[in-house]
Amino acid sequence: MFLFGIEHEVAFLNKQGKFADFSHTKFADFNQIIEKLPIYPNDYPQLRVGDAGIKQKRWYIEGFERFADSEEVIDCHSKGIEIRTTIHPSIHSAITELSESFQLLREVAANFGFSPVLVSFNPYNSVFVPQPPLNDYEIKNLEVQPDEQTANIHMVTYGPDLNISLVDLSVVDLIDIGRKLTYYSPYIVPFSYSSPFYNGALWDGLSVRTFIRTGKRSAALVFVEKQEQLISSKPSLTKIARIPAEVGRIEFKACDSCDDFSIYAALLALLKGLVLDKTLLGRATIPDAALHQMSAKKGFDNEEIFHNATKVLQAAEIALEDDPDVDFLTPLKKQLANRKTKSHELIEKYHRVGSIEKVIRQTYQI
């Protein structure tokens, strides 16, 4: 039995029509939105609250937490709001919940002058530097959490965690799937590309997020129960589950954000097919940065990427067989046939209107 969940990061324009990021948006600006959103007591213990208490709801502020010279959180540099779904037995129900949560977020945010926009890499600020500088406690804290040392990347990128788990799978099999998804990641991620802007202009490629992020941060992450089940790697392939509901979860973290949630359904179906597939034999513990960068630049116009993306999609389709979820793959087939991604659409609009704000304001037309 498969289980599914999605974590989706949302970026915003503010009431002045400017991109709302850490440079001029405070925690309180986003928190006024969060405070107006409902809490569902039955969501717990499925959803992790965390030590800082920021993650109380299905929506929470995504950012970089600041500490005093102790475990006390005193601020959070904010980049946007994350929506997370509860755990679902079907792709359809996970997408339905995500869509409902997004619409509610959009309505509440509008009351404070914020409107959601599709962004996978900050189109104006390519670097995050914490201000004030990190104190000694924060520096020591980061040293024991290697993945947190890439917060400079995390704070300028936006993307989903596509979560999938298969009940009663062994740790060995889980890690093998994580390594498989890591290996085939450069051929999966182009289906999501949506970050063609960088430092206020067009970037020379389709996904600056993938170009900068992958290799430094995980493509897939496998949650295990015990310390001895961890595999040492940088970036991490394995992580200790923080709550029981995370044990056995595989998070695919390498995709760009999508404003068409049917693409998330398609990607979850693709991941499900790859879990079931027995023909694709490639495995990797860490992502191939060079291959991801080639993919990020050219996408399906690169013959190697196109060929292997086709191979991956066909393998998933065959593995799903008569499963109704196979129908979710249709949008990915169309992308391959056209060799086009969301980034192509954004680039075309930019050439037409000449403004990043005008282009991203036209996203999320759902």
Side-chain angles (χ1 to χ4, degrees):
M1 185 179 75
F2 282 90
L3 297 171
F4 305 93
I6 305 169
E7 299 164 58
H8 172 68
E9 295 176 328
V10 184
F12 293 89
L13 296 182
N14 62 21
K15 62 178 71 173
Q16 288 79 37
K18 299 297 182 186
F19 188 68
D21 68 2
F22 51 83
S23 64
H24 59 276
T25 309
K26 303 297 184 189
F27 181 84
D29 296 329
F30 285 137
N31 199 46
Q32 62 187 345
I33 300 170
I34 299 293
E35 286 178 343
K36 296 293 184 184
L37 290 161
I39 192 163
Y40 302 94
N42 291 339
D43 285 357
Y44 309 92
Q46 282 189 46
L47 300 182
R48 188 174 75 91
V49 174
D51 297 333
I54 292 172
K55 302 178 179 182
Q56 296 282 355
K57 301 182 178 182
R58 291 183 183 179
W59 309 261
Y60 66 87
I61 296 166
E62 185 65 60
F64 182 78
E65 294 167 3
R66 300 304 306 270
F67 296 84
D69 286 321
S70 67
E71 292 181 1
E72 179 195 356
V73 177
I74 55 173
D75 196 9
C76 179
H77 300 306
S78 307
K79 72 169 187 176
I81 292 176
E82 179 160 313
I83 304 169
R84 54 186 176 164
T85 70
T86 52
I87 300 168
H88 288 264
S90 74
I91 293 172
H92 179 266
S93 59
I95 296 296
T96 299
E97 187 190 306
L98 176 65
S99 300
E100 291 169 352
S101 290
F102 175 79
Q103 292 297 357
L104 192 52
L105 173 62
R106 170 185 250 168
E107 290 165 15
V108 173
N111 295 329
F112 299 98
F114 288 91
S115 53
V117 290
L118 176 65
V119 161
S120 294
F121 191 92
N122 189 311
Y124 301 103
N125 284 313
S126 59
V127 177
F128 167 70
V129 180
Q131 293 297 335
L134 299 179
N135 60 41
D136 289 344
Y137 173 83
E138 290 173 317
I139 292 168
K140 286 176 184 171
N141 200 35
L142 290 181
E143 284 172 353
V144 298
Q145 301 181 66
D147 288 351
E148 294 302 319
Q149 294 171 25
T150 54
N152 59 315
I153 298 173
H154 158 70
M155 284 297 289
V156 294
T157 58
Y158 300 78
D161 286 345
L162 300 171
N163 302 334
I164 186 168
S165 56
L166 190 56
V167 176
D168 295 331
L169 210 59
S170 73
V171 173
V172 170
D173 287 339
L174 278 170
I175 292 173
D176 185 64
I177 292 167
R179 295 183 68 240
K180 181 178 186 178
L181 297 182
T182 298
Y183 180 89
Y184 289 102
S185 173
Y187 317 119
I188 298 169
V189 290
F191 292 111
S192 69
Y193 283 167
S194 65
S195 51
F197 304 118
Y198 183 72
N199 278 344
L202 270 183
W203 184 65
D204 181 27
L206 301 173
S207 177
V208 67
R209 177 186 188 270
T210 300
F211 192 89
I212 289 173
R213 177 194 180 282
T214 314
K216 299 181 180 73
R217 289 179 71 87
S218 307
L221 198 57
V222 178
F223 285 88
V224 298
E225 187 176 7
K226 300 169 185 172
Q227 190 78 25
E228 59 265 27
Q229 295 167 336
L230 292 172
I231 289 176
S232 178
S233 66
K234 191 174 180 180
S236 301
L237 177 67
T238 52
K239 186 172 184 175
I240 290 281
R242 296 155 295 186
I243 57 174
E246 284 185 338
V247 176
R249 176 181 299 174
I250 302 164
E251 288 186 353
F252 190 74
K253 306 175 76 69
C255 285
D256 280 9
S257 282
C258 299
D259 64 342
D260 176 356
F261 295 157
S262 72
I263 301 298
Y264 285 160
L267 289 166
L268 281 171
L270 179 65
L271 296 179
K272 179 179 177 179
L274 292 179
V275 170
L276 295 170
D277 164 73
K278 303 300 180 191
T279 66
L280 297 174
L281 304 179
R283 301 293 186 270
T285 302
I286 59 172
D288 186 324
L291 198 52
H292 277 90
Q293 289 185 339
M294 185 170 77
S295 176
K297 282 279 189 179
K298 298 295 183 183
F300 300 132
D301 285 337
N302 178 280
E303 287 304 321
E304 181 182 349
I305 300 300
F306 176 77
H307 171 74
N308 283 294
T310 303
K311 186 175 164 184
V312 165
L313 185 54
Q314 288 173 345
E317 185 174 21
I318 291 167
L320 287 168
E321 294 184 292
D322 299 327
D323 190 317
D325 286 348
V326 74
D327 293 338
F328 285 130
L329 297 176
T330 300
L332 306 189
K333 292 181 185 177
K334 289 179 180 176
Q335 282 195 49
L336 268 183
N338 299 324
R339 298 201 185 200
K340 292 285 189 289
T341 68
K342 181 72 177 184
S343 281
H344 288 89
E345 180 187 321
L346 297 173
I347 292 165
E348 183 185 318
K349 286 182 178 177
Y350 180 80
H351 285 311
R352 207 160 55 236
V353 302
S355 159
I356 292 174
E357 285 103 336
K358 286 181 181 177
V359 171
I360 60 178
R361 192 180 285 281
Q362 293 174 33
T363 56
Y364 283 115
Q365 301 297 313
I366 54 177

